[in-house]
Amino acid sequence: MTDHGWYDDSSEYDEAVRRAERATRSGWAAIAGTAGALGCALIALAVVCVGAFAACLYVVMAADY
């Protein structure tokens, strides 16, 4: 009656699957957080560039008068 030994690994397998799923979720969360932060930084950079362009345009227009 030693053929029931293969059941012993099922709890370890289930725990490994849970750990892998948890690692996958945290990995995707890190990727999403990084992509979101880069998106916000890109938007902020675009706003700064438009502001700098408007300021330069104002200086050029004011210098003509």
Side-chain angles (χ1 to χ4, degrees):
M1 294 300 236
T2 61
D3 59 343
H4 62 80
W6 62 277
Y7 284 116
D8 294 341
D9 291 337
S10 65
S11 63
E12 292 175 12
Y13 174 77
D14 291 340
E15 180 61 29
V17 168
R18 274 190 237 106
R19 282 194 316 255
E21 289 173 349
R22 196 175 321 128
T24 301
R25 279 192 308 270
S26 63
W28 279 114
I31 290 169
T34 302
L38 287 174
C40 288
L42 184 62
I43 291 170
L45 179 65
V47 168
V48 167
C49 287
V50 168
F53 177 75
C56 290
L57 188 62
Y58 176 77
V59 168
V60 167
M61 295 302 246
D64 285 342
Y65 294 113

